[in-house]
Amino acid sequence: MEKQTIKDILSNYKTILHHDITIEGWVRAFRSNRFIALNDGSTLNNLQIVVDFEKFDDEIIKNIHTASSLKVTGEVVESQGAGQSVEIIAKKIELLGENLSEELQSTILQPKRHTLEKLREQAHLRFRTNLFGAVFRVRSAVSFAIHQFFNQNQFFYINTPIITGADAEGAGEMFGVSNFDLNKVPKNEDGEVDYTQDFFGKKTNLTVSGQLEAETAAMGLGRVYTFGPTFRAENSNTTRHLAEFWMVEPEVAFNNLEDNIDLAESFLKYVIQYVLDHCKDDLELLDKRFAEEQKQKPEKDRAKEGLIEKLENVVKKRFKRVSYTEAIEILLNSKDNKKGKFQFPVEKWGADLQSEHERYLVEKHFECPVVLFDYPKEIKAFYMRLNEDQKTVAAMDVLFPGIGEIIGGSQREERLEVLKQKMADMNVDEHELWWYLDTRKFGSVPHAGFGLGLERLVLFVTGMTNIRDVIPFPRTPKNAEF
Amino acid sequence: MEKQTIKDILSNYKTILHHDITIEGWVRAFRSNRFIALNDGSTLNNLQIVVDFEKFDDEIIKNIHTASSLKVTGEVVESQGAGQSVEIIAKKIELLGENLSEELQSTILQPKRHTLEKLREQAHLRFRTNLFGAVFRVRSAVSFAIHQFFNQNQFFYINTPIITGADAEGAGEMFGVSNFDLNKVPKNEDGEVDYTQDFFGKKTNLTVSGQLEAETAAMGLGRVYTFGPTFRAENSNTTRHLAEFWMVEPEVAFNNLEDNIDLAESFLKYVIQYVLDHCKDDLELLDKRFAEEQKQKPEKDRAKEGLIEKLENVVKKRFKRVSYTEAIEILLNSKDNKKGKFQFPVEKWGADLQSEHERYLVEKHFECPVVLFDYPKEIKAFYMRLNEDQKTVAAMDVLFPGIGEIIGGSQREERLEVLKQKMADMNVDEHELWWYLDTRKFGSVPHAGFGLGLERLVLFVTGMTNIRDVIPFPRTPKNAEF
């Protein structure tokens, strides 16, 4: 693209000083009928336009409102005021689009904490606010860093199916996909829905995970990852659940559990360092917001670290690796457990860990990111590799401060007979997963992978508290506007 | 990742000559009980393992078949034979997984032209073939190049919704998404489906395009792009249609139609050059296959250029920009039209162009990629900007040799009143698109964008002929296995 953005101008202004340039953007503020703060979305920062109102048509000046759009030509000069390096002395101003809404000016452009919810109903306008501009630029940087990390490490990006005829993984309730007119669903002789007449000739759903398909790809391409939307039809109206979210799932042939943990740690550190390196301005805004949020909380609930500090620490600190068995010991012996501070007391080995337990380990006990591994087989999925103790599987969860589980993964069961036995034990239909079993018949190899929910990571990196605020158009129960 | 891939070894072998290394992979061939061709998916190329069978257990040697998997430790030495720089003298061989299928050895690993169809039913095994390994590595490179191009040009990646309550664009038939048990769909008092009881409280579908939502993002972030799955519930069983495919949709504030064409041209050239630079081995295999395919055809149907030659020419040649009106003149006056060679004769201005017309322009008349622009408003979508002639809209299609339309885009109608009029004329519901109209009320700006079907581009770059062969798990009528 030949055109210069405001980001270009602010970072390379020395080469264009005293030149005339043309720039387009939206008005963020217009002070004293003289100073326009112009923003084009390329950066959080505005470009100051200095207007000598006597030189311009009244008609133009009176329509310069917050959120209206302008095309400005003028000379680049060093700024007299504080806070900006450079400004434009306007010679020509063209009004591209007026802003007809006073409400937009007040609510949308200066969102208060209590207006975030209201803004979710105006998701199409969130992009115009400083806060959401920052959030979505960071989200974009996180996504790019993910692709770049895997690319640099010789992974191949593969697209697993969104519409799937397989529903065996059982990771959660699934949405149905159909081409039927629901007013007249065709039935067969038994009075059951006749899916043979549907588009795909069978019952189909929206995917909950691309892992099983990704495993088949890793068996040929070696290192692969998926990065696409996944779905859960769970009726959960919480700050942590979305019905539609984006998931990253690497899968690596020849990796064991330790390799998998190494990969997860270097992956997370790379992505967070990338954001620290590339989103300084946006992170500073989010850091300030985070600090203000903390001040509103009772002291005991406040985060120990600032947002940027927290990110820097995650990159610096070695993740603590702890077996599930050790973790249970720590929890059983913890003061919090003995004093009954947990909502769900830890009673014995075999229990599933709750969010409060994970956060205790990360935030109080170890004070760094924690990787738990070797979980009881009963509480984990059928495809995880059975350990020699016959009691645990080679599973791993990465736990982060303030957020709990951010990655879940495992070494996969590559032994055909063991896998079949586990499927039988856990009531997973062998016939439906014939293709998955095939991968264990023809040159099966040890392999491992994990899943990362993109929005969880963006929540962590931006310090936002509601997952609906880190995805452009959130899908939740009773909400599919846009 | 610390582990070395076969790609690493083949490209950096000088630094590890006479060292012992350990490598894992699948057997592609085992000749004379002595030479194993080992592949790990990182590259098309195999690493040769030299085995002195007297030094190894019979049990191991007799289970080394095509497609079985091995872990080999041995010394890196310069190769005596032709065709490879380096080989490994095996000291230790561990059989990771046997291959129990003779069929897999013969059919899957040496796919003939007539077996491509059969392989689609074995999509999980396609990754293990040379041909599909190449196709999917190229697909991955294309995807990465797309992200990198936009990242370098200051675009932000945004995720538009997959499940959508909007169905106003009318780009094609949509799949329904529902949480209902189709055996007992709830009805309201009028006997109609009661969607208020469905998960989202309204009728929802799978997206056909993220463009309208992307436009709202561009109004705040400036330059954005989507890259995600889109869906068409069209019952078309052709080599060009998929029910689920991946689409790239950039949208740029302040761009007009010419900027949009410039963007499309530089984008396509960047991506194709990236593949030429990064996928040499895979392209050579595909180039050979393409040439063999051409030989099977009657001479008049053969492509004029080889695959790699074609890609290089697209990067080199300036795309020819021609208005729809000029194109119609050319077609009307063409020998092919006069002699009745077109299945659909071109009769007058206003007609929609068929694939045969597009290919005539690209392959016979101009012999280079062609961009057509300014189409009659009646044959294009409601959101395209009305030109001053009141007859045409600022639409553009990029046409490629052998494939026809690869990109379709337009400058968008940013004038509220003109947009409303066009929606009324074309029966698009204003109320449903209230949020889209909002973007024209609050600081509307000229903007433009386009859509690229990823699989179309991968088809072009790989020279494959059936679109089902360039997506890992194709979704087509009556087909949603995996």
Side-chain angles (χ1 to χ4, degrees), chain B residues 31-46:
Chain B
R31 289 184 297 115
S32 323
N33 259 11
R34 188 165 161 80
F35 301 107
I36 300 170
L38 199 71
N39 189 284
D40 68 357
S42 62
T43 161
L44 178 70
N45 299 313
N46 304 319

Side-chain angles (χ1 to χ4, degrees), chain B residues 111-123 126-127 129 131-137 139 238-242 286 289 293 455 458-459 462-476:
Chain B
K112 299 277 180 303
R113 196 161 157 260
H114 62 277
T115 58
L116 289 184
E117 194 170 343
K118 185 173 174 195
L119 270 172
R120 270 169 229 140
E121 288 160 26
Q122 306 273 327
R126 295 198 296 189
F127 303 105
T129 68
L131 177 59
F132 286 100
V135 167
F136 293 126
R137 278 188 296 266
R139 183 184 165 109
T238 77
T239 58
R240 292 292 163 96
H241 289 86
L242 290 167
L286 293 163
R289 182 193 164 277
E293 281 257 312
E455 286 75 16
V458 178
L459 212 53
T462 59
M464 300 295 285
T465 45
N466 191 321
I467 204 158
R468 299 170 195 206
D469 293 334
V470 299
I471 188 167
F473 300 94
R475 295 292 173 251
T476 53

